Amino acid sequence: MMQIEKTYCELAQMSTKNCLIICDRGIMDATAYMKPEQWEEMKMKNGWNEIELRDNRYNQVIHMVTAAKGAEKFYSTEHAVRYESPDVARNLDDMASQAWVGHPYYDVIDNSTDFEAKLIRMISTVTDRLGMDFRERLNVNSKKRKFLVRELPSLEAIDMAASAETKGYPQFQDFDVVHDYLATPGQKTQARIRKRGQNGNWTYTHTIRRYLQNNESAETKMHITSRDYTNLLAQIDEKHQTIYKTRRCFLWNDQYYQMDLYKEPCQERCKGLILLETYSTIPAMEPLDLPSFLDIVKEVTGDPYYSMYNLSSKVWLQNTKGKATVSHDSIPNEVANGDVHQEATSNGDHDETNGDINGLR
């Protein structure tokens, strides 16, 4: 498999046209078909690590959930290469999807729609990642939603949830994440760099967001080298503090979640902060089937107080003076002009005076 991928990459590099290489399977899929100790032995013999195999090797991973989960009437073993029973297929699907948890650009396409819509959703995730605008043709209305979590559940709480016939804490992957915002020539451009890794193995990303007309923005994300990352550190915006987080990635009912646990050193308002993110076609503020083992305080989608850009700002709270300016992540053009504001609340959700988030202290 690795040799085949290498061959296609070499062919793509020789081409004078832009190329997109789509792999039907990836290296991590193999872990679903072997024992964990066999996989660990293979990694050790070949000097592999999962950051390289999973995160750096592929720019995007899309897991298409088997029809045996949610579309059983369409699952058939009459297919030439499909011989697993539905139960076996579901088990392999769980293991294969779990193998990719932690990839920075991982999408799970379930069977909540018919097959044609499922394909459109899959294609849309690719075009979005490539920055290609097919909104009218591939309108799936999937938006990021963000939730404030009170605290991590204790082991006792997890056991109680499991005994109540609900799933306990699922398998997860933890990553160390460091974000820095860079100085830019104007307010209509935002730039940041990120390093993300496990056990001393890192991936590096440079993101540039440009704000356009009609409240729209164009974002470019680029994988960069360690050397590029080090050079860009010289451009850090001194008005922003470095953000340190543990990012916990997991699957819950075939929905992919990322939970950010903010770490010190950080500003006072970030101490103990835990934010859960996922993508959904269900509009913001409408009920969503969230992980039952988490104590969700409220939804904070679009709330400028919980924008990472504002959380990293050393002057944002002082500049609001009783009002919270909508962040660049929300309504960019008006913010750039200083026209739009959102009233700050004082109902116990957050304290503008000292920056402490009630319920997290």
Side-chain angles (χ1 to χ4, degrees), residues 177-318:
V177 181
V178 182
H179 286 276
D180 279 292
Y181 283 91
L182 306 180
T184 56
Q187 288 184 307
K188 292 190 176 182
T189 301
Q190 185 188 104
R192 65 181 184 271
I193 52 176
R194 181 189 74 181
K195 73 172 184 176
R196 177 183 186 273
Q198 288 177 320
N199 304 318
N201 300 299
W202 300 93
T203 61
Y204 304 90
T205 307
H206 182 202
T207 301
I208 299 175
R209 179 180 293 177
R210 295 180 177 86
Y211 297 105
L212 312 173
Q213 296 178 350
N214 302 321
N215 298 335
E216 295 182 347
S217 64
E219 187 172 88
T220 303
K221 293 186 178 182
M222 299 165 285
H223 282 290
I224 58 175
T225 65
S226 172
R227 183 175 181 178
D228 291 334
Y229 176 83
T230 301
N231 290 337
L232 286 169
L233 285 173
Q235 302 177 27
I236 283 180
D237 188 343
E238 297 298 333
K239 297 189 295 295
H240 288 265
Q241 183 165 332
T242 300
I243 292 285
Y244 297 93
K245 300 186 289 189
T246 294
R247 173 158 291 177
R248 180 159 296 177
C249 306
F250 60 91
L251 287 166
W252 172 266
N253 291 341
D254 292 327
Q255 182 80 10
Y256 190 54
Y257 290 92
Q258 295 186 144
M259 186 162 59
D260 286 343
L261 292 73
Y262 282 70
K263 297 162 57 177
E264 298 187 43
C266 64
Q267 301 195 73
E268 189 68 23
R269 65 184 185 274
C270 295
K271 291 182 179 179
L273 179 62
I274 305 174
L275 295 174
L276 178 73
E277 294 182 355
T278 190
Y279 281 83
S280 175
T281 56
I282 300 174
M285 304 305 165
E286 290 193 12
L288 188 65
D289 183 21
L290 295 170
S292 60
F293 56 87
L294 293 177
D295 184 1
I296 307 295
V297 178
K298 63 176 181 177
E299 181 166 2
V300 294
T301 303
D303 188 333
Y305 191 85
Y306 299 100
S307 157
M308 188 174 69
Y309 183 85
N310 291 336
L311 287 171
S312 70
S313 174
K314 298 177 181 178
V315 298
W316 184 72
L317 278 181
Q318 295 92 316

Side-chain angles (χ1 to χ4, degrees), residues 296-359:
I296 307 295
V297 178
K298 63 176 181 177
E299 181 166 2
V300 294
T301 303
D303 188 333
Y305 191 85
Y306 299 100
S307 157
M308 188 174 69
Y309 183 85
N310 291 336
L311 287 171
S312 70
S313 174
K314 298 177 181 178
V315 298
W316 184 72
L317 278 181
Q318 295 92 316
N319 288 346
T320 58
K321 296 181 180 179
K323 290 189 175 183
T325 305
V326 177
S327 75
H328 286 292
D329 294 330
S330 303
I331 308 178
N333 290 329
E334 289 81 354
V335 172
N337 296 328
D339 296 327
V340 175
H341 296 79
Q342 177 175 314
E343 294 293 336
T345 60
S346 57
N347 59 3
D349 292 332
H350 59 264
D351 183 347
E352 292 287 344
T353 304
N354 58 23
D356 291 344
I357 301 172
N358 295 338

